């Protein structure tokens, strides 16, 4: 996935670290950093210098009293920095600006943002936790995440991120590290720690390796007590210290020391490593030669605060060798205690000054040689842009792990002959997981919102599930901690066990800590989603149906049958996948302008609502619904709303049959239509060539208002219609009106007898768009197929591809409320048309015609077009040969823009597409306010669905204002702007 324009050159961190240790030289020859440090040092009193050692906790969700306390620490005690905790980004930015303006020396701002700002702040993006990252094979992606986290930190005025955690989580019962670790393999932990570190530090955010000397093999929480690690020095050096050593050898700028007790290094009773000179000075600084900043872990944690009072603990931490005292509980008292320690010669002023200089050099590196101000404008948008979401998406995609596929059920290839059900445990129905499943196959969904539900409740759902051939289970609402059994209840486990015993085809999707898989390692088809959020919920269905191929590997050992490194790869079936614009070379900010274009169309009364879908490189990056189904605004449009796609039926319906017949050698494009339909012989249509019919240059008149021939002075003629459906009147025109069975013969007779366009004798017919040609092509197709065209299309295309909303006569499958109404027809049917086809001729035929009659939502129409864009391949099947697609979709004629059946751009511009579309583009538009375009040059699909004819077909604002093409223009602008940004 393309990244931002980042500074990939290695920042000379080692030189910076060396500079921190330089002896004094002549002032004029000193580097600028030393000049600045000397200047700041000389401006501070001894007590003010001590104040620089402290970094205290700040919150943006607390009251004015808290803010005043922080301000007093800054102004009275020359505080060195702040670590921000809970709150919101805008509130934090406002406070940061205020605090920085009060500081004598600019503050070093830090956060615990291990998985991004959302670890502490609302309204921000949550990147994967480190255990999830541990499953990713490509460490460049971890670097990309570090770069993106750094960008967001920079935007928010944060200079230090207390990440990465490089503890090796070798203890599955660890109550505090767990998902915060990259895993149990020391090399994987070190490599990913380096990648994350470099991503941040190469973009001017200081990384911090924690928790030295290693918190991974602990069974207690240092927030609550003092954990003890009884390993030998040899074991600690071989395992726990390995990642720290590797990061130090590279360029880590800071390290945090843990509150743990390690007798191998310091056996003094209850001595936390944070307070141990043997650990901080002798081991870290001297033996491991670390020259960067050493931070204590929070000094309010029970691992130290249980044994030492405020002020006292700060002095001990300083004596141990720490440089920055984090989360001190009483700064004024601690400053006094440190001053006393200096006076008592427990520590020298020179040692204090040396540490202050290190802190100041870090500030200079972070750009704090001047007082910074955060720009508050567009802050939320900048922190939540689509580039960041693209990074998040790819990380989760590459992490999610298929751990069991014993019966090779995955990926699910066949979707038309199996019945599917899903059950989501711990979440309400209609969630992101189930909505994503619906994009691939028709599902019956169940849910257990309360995971603590009684066993009887689970059993009732179990009975329902057994009637389906494939069952997908989503395990949600988990937590990362083993001491709470990862939030997975006993009853839910019993239910899953019963389901597997009773059903052979169950796919279990566990959105939880990988250690939780110990409960499910005996089941045949299991996916580890690691975390439970909308992103992972959308990705797992894509893996289940082969839109994505899984590549993650377990970063820890779960059980004997699921060791570290477990992870299966399955076939990619080339189905549509779903992601972010930047992942495929579109500028998300530019693409977001589509929203305002469509909303303006609604405001102008061009349409009450609609859907827009954009896909590139096989990924849907924009699928939004706008407005309402009608102007009364009672029912909003959703992604599942079904539209009458009008003349798109010609290409999405009839042309699929025509292309099939041509490919099978049953239909010759250069043959006369009368060869296939002998009734055309001896008529004015005897010499019509199939190719000319498909190119709308056969001389057929544009349309015939057949319906007028079936009306009398009172309305519907009783010779043609009845109010009840029966054997004689099988075709529903609208609910309550049924046409006579012979109506198709009548329409065909009128078509055959219709006039031809005028032309001079030896001239060819010019291009004139006509519906009549597709009456002819439908009849030819059904004769050669020996099957009704709607049945053929459903069986051979729509159902196998999982297009559950596409088809004729949607009222046979869906409630009327799922379908957007079209015209309030005051002439023919004299009612609001909803769920029956808008086109009068198609309605008379019972909703199935060659030129109109299909209904669909945007997603299903995109599936069909994606198959064409992929040269006939979709879902693991080859529906057409590549040459067939090319043959029909290319421009055919000199003075006619059309392909065979398919519409194309006007070569000189001003046609039905954006003038920016490539000449290879093909698709069609529809009278009801629809458009569907494929551009192979850009690997692009654009779908626009609306009901602009509601309630009046004379409303042409959508057409006059070029709404569809203006949106298409914006898509191409988005590609251009993305490419310009890359340059």
């Amino acid at each position: 996935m393309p990244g931002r324009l980042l500074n990939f050159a290695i920042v000379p961190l080692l030189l910076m670290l060396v500079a921190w240790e330089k002896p004094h030289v002549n002032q004029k020859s000193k580097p600028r950093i030393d000049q600045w440090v000397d200047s700041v040092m000389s401006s501070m009193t001894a007590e003010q210098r001590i104040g620089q050692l402290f970094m205290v906790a700040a919150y943006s969700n607390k009251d004015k009293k808290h803010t005043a306390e922080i301000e007093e620490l800054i102004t009275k005690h020359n505080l060195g920095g702040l670590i921000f905790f809970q709150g919101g980004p805008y509130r934090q930015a406002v406070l940061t600006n205020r605090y920085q303006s009060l500081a004598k020396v600019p503050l070093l701002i830090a956060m615990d943002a291990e998985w991004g700002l959302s670890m502490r702040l609302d309204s921000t993006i949550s990147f994967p936790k480190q255990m999830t990252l541990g499953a990713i094979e490509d460490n460049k992606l971890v670097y990309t995440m570090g770069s993106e986290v750094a960008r967001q930190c920079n935007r928010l005025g944060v200079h230090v991120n207390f990440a990465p955690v490089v503890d090796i989580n070798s203890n599955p019962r660890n109550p505090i590290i767990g998902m915060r670790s990259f895993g149990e393999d020391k090399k994987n932990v070190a490599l990913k720690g380096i990648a994350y570190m470099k991503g941040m530090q190469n973009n001017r955010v200081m990384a911090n390796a924690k928790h030295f000397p290693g918190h991974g093999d602990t069974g207690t929480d240092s927030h609550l007590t003092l954990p003890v690690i009884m390993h030998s020095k040899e074991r600690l050096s071989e395992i726990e210290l390995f990642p720290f050593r590797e990061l130090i050898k590279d360029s880590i700028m800071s390290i945090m020391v843990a509150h743990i007790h390690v007798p191998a290094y310091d056996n003094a009773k209850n001595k936390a490593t944070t307070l141990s000179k043997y650990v901080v000075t002798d081991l870290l600084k001297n033996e491991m030669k670390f020259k960067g900043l050493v931070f204590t872990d929070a000094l309010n944690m029970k691992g130290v605060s249980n044994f030492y009072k405020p002020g006292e603990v700060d002095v001990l931490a300083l004596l141990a060798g720490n440089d920055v005292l984090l989360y001190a509980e009483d700064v004024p008292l601690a400053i006094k205690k440190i001053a006393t320690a200096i006076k008592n010669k427990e520590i020298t002023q020179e040692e204090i000054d040396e540490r202050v200089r290190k802190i100041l050099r870090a500030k200079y590196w972070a750009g704090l040689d001047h007082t910074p101000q955060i720009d508050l404008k567009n802050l939320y948008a900048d922190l939540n842009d689509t580039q960041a979401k693209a990074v998040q998406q790819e990380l989760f995609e590459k992490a999610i792990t298929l751990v069991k596929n014993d019966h090779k059920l995955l990926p699910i290839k066949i979707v038309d002959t199996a019945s599917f059900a899903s059950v989501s445990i711990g979440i309400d129905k209609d969630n992101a997981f189930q909505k994503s499943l619906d994009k691939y196959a028709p599902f019956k969904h169940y849910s257990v919102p309360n995971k603590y539900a009684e066993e009887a409740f689970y059993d009732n759902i179990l009975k329902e599930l057994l009637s389906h051939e494939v069952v997908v289970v989503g395990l949600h609402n988990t937590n990362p901690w083993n001491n709470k059994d990862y939030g997975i209840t006993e009853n839910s486990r019993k239910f899953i066990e019963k389901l597997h015993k009773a059903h052979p085809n169950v796919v279990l999707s566990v959105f939880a800590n990988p250690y939780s898989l110990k409960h499910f390692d005996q089941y045949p088809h299991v996916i580890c989603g690691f975390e439970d959020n909308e992103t992972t919920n959308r990705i797992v269905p894509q893996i289940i149906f082969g839109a994505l191929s899984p590549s993650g590997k377990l970063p820890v050992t779960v059980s004997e049958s699921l060791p570290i490194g477990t992870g299966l790869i399955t076939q990619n079936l080339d189905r549509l996948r779903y992601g972010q614009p930047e992942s495929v070379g579109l500028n998300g900010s530019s693409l977001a302008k589509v929203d305002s274009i469509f909303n303006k169309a609604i405001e102008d009364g061009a349409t009450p609502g609609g859907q827009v879908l954009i896909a590139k490189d096989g990924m849907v990056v924009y699928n939004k619904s706008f407005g309402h189904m009608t102007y009364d605004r009672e029912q909003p449009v959703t992604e599942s709303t079904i539209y009458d796609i009008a003349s798109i039926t010609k290409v999405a319906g009839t042309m699929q049959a025509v292309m099939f017949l041509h490919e099978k050698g049953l239909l010759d494009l250069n043959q006369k239509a009368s060869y296939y339909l002998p009734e055309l012989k001896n008529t004015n249509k005897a010499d019509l060539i199939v190719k000319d019919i498909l190119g709308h240059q056969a001389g057929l008149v544009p349309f015939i208002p057949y319906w007028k021939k079936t009306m009398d002075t009172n309305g519907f003629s009783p010779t043609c219609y009845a109010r009840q459906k029966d054997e004689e009147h099988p075709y529903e025109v609208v609910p309550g009106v049924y046409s006579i069975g012979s109506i198709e013969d009548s329409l065909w007779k009128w078509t055959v007898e219709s006039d031809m366009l005028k032309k001079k004798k030896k001239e060819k017919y010019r291009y004139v768009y006509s519906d009549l040609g597709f009456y002819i092509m439908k009849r030819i197709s059904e004769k050669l197929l020996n099957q009704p065209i709607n049945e053929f299309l459903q069986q051979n295309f729509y159902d196998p591809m999982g297009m559950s909303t596409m088809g004729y006569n949607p009222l046979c499958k869906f409630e009327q409320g799922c379908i957007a109404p079209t015209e309030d027809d005051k002439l023919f049917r004299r009612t609001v048309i909803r769920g029956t086809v808008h086109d009068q001729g198609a309605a008379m035929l019972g909703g199935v015609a060659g030129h109109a009659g299909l209904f669909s939502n945007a997603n299903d129409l995109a599936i069909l077009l994606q198959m064409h864009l992929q040269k006939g391949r979709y879902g693991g099947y080859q529906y057409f040969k590549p040459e067939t697609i090319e043959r029909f979709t290319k421009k055919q004629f000199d003075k006619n823009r059309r392909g065979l059946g398919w519409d194309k751009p006007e070569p000189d511009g001003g046609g039905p597409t954006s003038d920016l579309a490539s000449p290879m583009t093909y698709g069609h538009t529809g009278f009801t306010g629809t458009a569907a375009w494929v551009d192979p040059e850009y690997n692009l699909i654009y779908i626009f669905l609306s009901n602009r004819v509601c309630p009046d077909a004379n409303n042409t604002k959508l057409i006059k204002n070029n709404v569809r093409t203006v949106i298409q223009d914006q898509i191409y602008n988005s590609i251009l702007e993305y490419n310009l940004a890359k340059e």
Side-chain angles (χ1 to χ4, degrees):
M1 187 209 65
R4 294 183 186 278
L5 294 175
L6 297 170
N7 173 19
F8 286 101
I10 299 298
V11 177
L13 302 176
L14 293 177
L15 292 176
M16 177 68 73
L17 293 172
V18 170
W20 290 4
E21 302 297 319
K22 279 184 179 179
H24 290 287
V25 293
N26 183 275
Q27 184 68 28
K28 290 184 179 180
S29 64
K30 283 183 179 180
R32 187 175 174 186
I33 180 174
D34 289 329
Q35 294 180 36
W36 182 80
V37 170
D38 288 347
S39 172
V40 175
M41 287 293 291
S42 64
S43 72
M44 293 188 292
T45 65
E47 184 176 304
Q48 287 173 336
R49 292 178 186 182
I50 295 173
Q52 286 294 295
L53 303 173
F54 293 90
M55 182 174 276
V56 301
Y59 297 78
S60 57
N61 64 348
K62 288 195 173 183
D63 57 16
K64 292 181 180 179
K65 179 183 176 184
H66 169 75
T67 303
E69 289 170 352
I70 299 295
E71 290 176 354
E72 184 174 350
L73 290 174
I74 294 168
T75 55
K76 288 190 176 182
H77 301 285
N78 199 35
L79 195 67
L82 299 171
I83 172 173
F84 270 101
F85 285 90
Q86 287 80 14
Y90 187 87
R91 288 170 288 165
Q92 179 170 314
V94 170
L95 285 175
T96 300
N97 282 343
R98 179 172 176 79
Y99 294 149
Q100 291 286 22
S101 70
L102 296 173
K104 175 182 175 67
V105 180
L107 299 160
L108 195 65
I109 305 297
M111 287 187 71
D112 269 321
E114 294 165 17
W115 52 88
L117 300 178
S118 70
M119 183 172 174
R120 298 300 182 190
L121 302 179
D122 60 34
S123 310
T124 53
I125 291 172
S126 181
F127 294 101
K129 295 179 175 65
Q130 289 187 196
M131 184 76 77
T132 309
L133 297 176
I136 296 173
E137 295 280 87
D138 185 358
N139 291 333
K140 291 178 184 176
L141 296 176
V142 181
Y143 177 94
T144 301
M145 173 177 151
S147 301
E148 178 56 34
V149 170
R151 181 192 71 86
Q152 296 191 20
C153 286
N154 283 321
R155 184 67 182 86
L156 195 58
V158 175
H159 315 111
V160 183
N161 183 12
F162 291 126
V165 173
V166 291
D167 302 316
I168 298 167
N169 201 79
S170 55
N171 185 347
R173 295 176 298 281
N174 194 316
I176 185 59
I177 303 302
M179 288 293 288
R180 299 168 66 196
S181 166
F182 290 115
E184 70 181 55
D185 179 77
K186 66 179 185 180
K187 292 182 179 178
N188 189 38
V189 170
L191 289 171
K192 286 186 166 58
I194 289 170
Y196 193 2
M197 168 195 75
K198 284 187 172 180
M200 288 189 288
Q201 292 187 170
N202 287 357
N203 291 278
R204 288 286 166 174
V205 169
M206 185 186 294
N208 180 276
K210 62 186 188 185
H211 305 82
F212 187 83
H215 207 322
D217 193 8
T218 56
T220 53
D221 183 353
S222 54
H223 291 85
L224 307 175
T225 187
L226 182 63
V228 180
I229 294 180
M230 297 301 297
H231 295 310
S232 67
K233 284 186 179 181
E234 291 74 20
R235 148 68 195 241
L236 291 163
S237 179
E238 175 69 17
I239 303 297
E240 275 75 11
L241 293 180
F242 179 84
F244 293 99
R245 193 179 299 116
E246 293 299 301
L247 267 69
I248 290 170
K249 281 195 296 186
D250 197 292
S251 56
I252 189 70
M253 294 182 71
S254 70
I255 286 176
M256 180 182 290
V257 185
H259 300 320
I260 54 178
H261 181 49
V262 186
Y265 288 116
D266 192 334
N267 61 9
K269 185 178 180 181
N270 296 325
K271 177 63 74 67
T273 46
T274 332
L275 309 182
S276 171
K277 186 174 183 294
Y278 298 114
V279 172
V280 180
T281 298
D282 295 348
L283 176 60
L284 178 58
K285 289 186 169 183
N286 296 337
E287 183 180 330
M288 297 179 71
K289 302 187 186 310
F290 179 60
K291 303 299 182 183
L293 283 178
V294 180
F295 287 78
T296 69
D297 206 339
L299 294 176
N300 70 327
M301 291 167 60
K302 300 300 182 182
V304 290
S305 65
N306 276 346
F307 308 103
Y308 303 98
K309 296 177 181 179
E312 180 183 358
V313 71
D314 303 86
V315 172
L316 292 172
L318 205 57
L319 294 175
N322 295 282
D323 299 312
V324 182
L325 307 175
L326 187 65
Y327 211 142
E329 292 189 273
D330 191 334
V331 172
L333 176 61
I335 289 174
K336 289 179 181 178
K337 293 280 188 180
I338 293 169
T340 301
I342 296 170
K343 185 178 180 180
N344 293 338
K345 298 184 179 180
E346 296 174 61
I347 189 169
T348 67
Q349 184 65 50
E350 288 73 19
E351 288 175 304
I352 297 293
D353 288 351
E354 176 190 352
R355 294 177 201 189
V356 175
R357 284 180 177 276
K358 285 174 69 175
I359 293 167
L360 292 176
R361 287 191 173 93
K363 289 186 176 186
Y364 185 92
W365 177 86
L368 291 175
D369 53 326
H370 63 278
T371 300
Q373 281 289 297
I374 302 164
D375 183 2
L376 301 178
K377 186 178 180 182
N378 297 323
L379 181 61
Y380 283 111
D382 291 345
L383 294 177
N384 292 278
D385 69 1
T386 49
Q387 171 66 57
K389 292 174 183 176
V391 172
Q392 177 203 50
Q393 171 101 11
E394 186 171 21
L395 290 164
F396 278 119
E397 282 181 6
K398 299 302 183 183
I400 290 174
T401 304
L402 175 60
V403 296
K404 298 287 290 292
N405 194 23
D406 294 351
H407 303 158
K408 309 301 181 187
L409 177 62
L410 303 177
I412 296 172
K413 189 173 184 180
I414 299 171
V415 298
D416 58 332
T417 58
S419 61
F420 294 87
S422 82
V423 55
S424 288
I425 299 172
I427 193 172
D428 286 329
K429 197 161 65 171
D430 199 32
N431 52 71
F433 180 60
Q434 293 180 324
K435 285 180 179 178
S436 295
L437 290 170
D438 283 335
K439 295 182 187 299
Y440 297 104
F443 270 82
K444 174 70 174 176
H445 295 300
Y446 303 88
S447 72
V448 186
N450 178 14
K451 62 185 178 182
Y452 299 97
E454 295 295 327
E455 197 170 346
F457 185 90
Y458 280 105
D459 288 343
N460 286 334
I461 290 179
L462 179 62
K463 293 175 186 176
E464 297 284 336
L465 295 175
L466 296 181
S467 63
H468 298 275
E469 293 170 72
V470 178
V471 178
V472 178
V473 178
L475 196 52
H476 304 269
N477 192 18
T478 61
N479 68 57
W481 308 119
N482 70 293
N483 59 346
K484 297 181 180 178
D485 212 6
Y486 311 105
I488 300 171
T489 65
E490 183 179 358
N491 281 350
S492 65
R493 294 200 300 270
K494 285 182 180 178
F495 164 75
I496 292 168
E497 181 180 3
K498 290 178 183 177
L499 179 60
H500 275 92
K501 285 180 178 178
H503 202 298
N505 297 322
V506 177
V507 180
L508 177 59
S509 307
V510 183
F511 298 100
N513 185 317
Y515 286 121
S516 71
L517 297 176
K518 67 183 181 181
H519 296 301
F520 312 113
D521 60 353
Q522 72 273 33
Y523 302 136
H525 308 106
V526 182
I527 299 173
C528 180
F530 288 93
E531 302 179 39
D532 186 19
N533 55 54
E534 284 204 7
T535 303
T536 57
N537 287 185
R538 287 194 300 264
I539 291 170
V540 169
Q542 298 180 57
I543 290 173
I544 291 172
F545 286 95
L548 290 170
S549 181
S551 60
K553 306 290 183 186
L554 288 181
V556 293
T557 295
V558 172
S559 64
E560 186 175 336
S561 62
L562 295 179
I564 183 173
T566 297
L568 304 172
I569 298 173
T570 54
Q571 179 187 6
N572 190 309
L573 298 180
D574 301 314
R575 287 191 169 110
L576 273 178
R577 61 196 198 281
Y578 300 82
Q580 298 298 326
E582 275 76 6
S583 298
V584 289
L586 289 156
N587 182 292
S589 297
S590 178
L591 207 59
K593 295 176 183 177
V594 171
D595 294 21
S596 58
I597 297 170
F598 205 118
N599 287 326
K600 181 66 164 56
I602 294 171
E603 183 183 328
D604 292 342
T607 180
Q611 299 169 347
V612 174
L613 183 146
I614 300 159
K616 188 175 184 297
D617 298 341
M619 178 184 287
V620 175
V621 297
Y622 186 102
N623 187 9
K624 290 190 178 182
S625 304
F626 298 90
H628 296 78
M629 295 194 196
T630 62
Y631 287 108
D632 61 17
R633 300 187 176 186
E634 289 183 357
Q635 198 170 357
V637 176
T638 68
E639 284 186 15
S640 59
T641 300
I642 300 168
Y643 281 89
D644 181 338
I645 62 175
S647 283
I648 295 178
T649 300
K650 293 179 173 70
V651 295
T654 306
M655 287 311 301
Q656 306 305 301
V658 169
M659 292 162 70
F660 173 88
L661 291 166
H662 169 73
E663 191 171 281
K664 299 299 182 184
L666 299 173
L667 179 64
D668 184 349
L669 299 174
N670 294 308
Q671 185 59 269
K672 293 179 180 180
S674 59
Y675 174 83
Y676 303 104
L677 301 173
E679 63 267 35
L680 294 179
K681 294 178 180 179
N682 302 317
T683 72
N684 60 0
K685 298 174 180 60
D687 296 326
L688 301 187
I689 303 299
V690 170
K691 181 178 178 181
D692 289 332
I693 294 172
L694 294 176
H696 297 274
Q697 58 177 34
L700 297 168
V701 297
F703 72 97
I704 300 172
Y706 295 111
W707 64 275
K708 291 183 178 180
K709 298 176 182 289
T710 65
M711 306 292 281
D712 60 23
T713 54
N714 295 317
F716 293 111
S717 170
T719 59
C720 298
Y721 302 99
R723 291 292 178 180
Q724 298 290 330
K725 184 176 182 178
D726 53 34
E727 289 186 9
E728 191 177 356
H729 300 86
Y731 301 134
E732 185 178 70
V733 179
V734 288
V737 178
Y738 301 87
S739 61
I740 195 166
S742 60
I743 197 74
E744 186 169 5
D745 293 336
S746 298
L747 265 66
W748 179 240
K749 178 176 180 292
W750 296 333
T751 300
V752 172
E753 293 175 349
S754 64
D755 293 333
M756 299 291 288
L757 296 173
K758 303 292 184 184
K759 73 174 182 68
K760 293 180 181 179
K761 278 191 176 182
K762 293 187 179 181
E763 286 183 349
K764 290 185 176 181
Y765 284 109
R766 70 186 191 281
Y767 161 57
V768 175
Y769 181 78
S770 173
D771 281 346
L772 269 63
F774 280 80
Y775 281 86
I776 295 171
M777 294 314 303
K778 173 179 178 285
R779 199 164 182 94
I780 291 174
S781 298
E782 290 187 330
K783 184 173 182 179
L784 295 177
L785 292 167
N786 194 30
Q787 185 182 19
I789 197 169
N790 56 318
E791 293 180 8
F792 168 79
L793 293 169
Q794 206 71 46
Q795 292 168 9
N796 291 277
F797 294 97
Y798 308 154
D799 287 346
M801 284 195 273
M803 299 156 59
S804 57
T805 67
M806 180 170 276
Y808 298 87
N809 292 318
L811 290 176
C812 296
K813 291 170 60 178
F814 299 97
E815 296 292 331
Q816 194 178 60
C818 299
I819 307 163
T822 52
E823 186 181 5
D824 184 359
D825 183 357
K826 298 185 181 301
L827 297 176
F828 174 36
R829 287 152 290 188
R830 301 179 185 180
T831 188
V832 173
I833 310 305
R834 186 171 195 175
T836 51
V837 62
H838 175 263
D839 180 88
Q840 298 94 335
M844 294 166 69
L845 296 170
V848 181
H851 65 291
L854 274 180
F855 287 72
S856 182
N857 68 4
N859 189 77
D860 283 349
L861 184 52
I863 289 173
L864 185 71
L865 295 187
Q866 186 64 32
M867 179 266 286
H868 290 74
L869 186 54
Q870 293 172 176
K871 299 182 179 180
R873 184 170 180 79
Y874 193 85
Y877 291 96
Q878 195 73 41
Y879 290 90
F880 291 114
K881 297 175 183 177
E883 55 266 32
T884 301
I885 304 290
E886 183 181 0
R887 174 75 178 89
F888 279 80
T889 60
K890 68 181 181 181
K891 188 174 182 294
Q892 305 288 321
F893 314 100
D894 289 337
K895 297 181 179 180
N896 177 349
R897 69 171 189 256
R898 293 265 172 173
L900 294 175
W902 296 86
D903 201 359
K904 293 184 68 64
E906 196 66 60
D908 297 326
T913 69
S914 164
D915 290 346
L916 300 172
S918 80
M920 296 174 67
T921 299
Y922 59 90
H924 217 282
T925 57
F927 182 80
T928 51
T930 58
W933 296 106
V934 177
D935 189 338
E937 183 173 317
Y938 291 92
N939 212 13
L940 186 70
I941 289 172
Y942 164 49
I943 309 288
F944 181 103
L945 300 184
S946 78
N947 53 339
R948 65 104 190 160
V949 295
C950 176
D952 185 357
N954 293 316
N955 178 6
T956 59
K957 291 178 182 178
L958 190 82
I959 300 163
K960 288 179 179 177
N961 296 337
N962 295 315
V963 174
R964 291 171 287 189
T965 53
V966 170
I967 287 176
Q968 198 174 13
D969 286 342
Q970 194 58 44
I971 299 170
Y972 289 100
N973 288 336
S974 173
I975 297 172
L976 176 64
E977 290 180 31
Y978 176 86
N979 291 331
L980 288 173
K982 276 191 70 178
E983 293 172 6

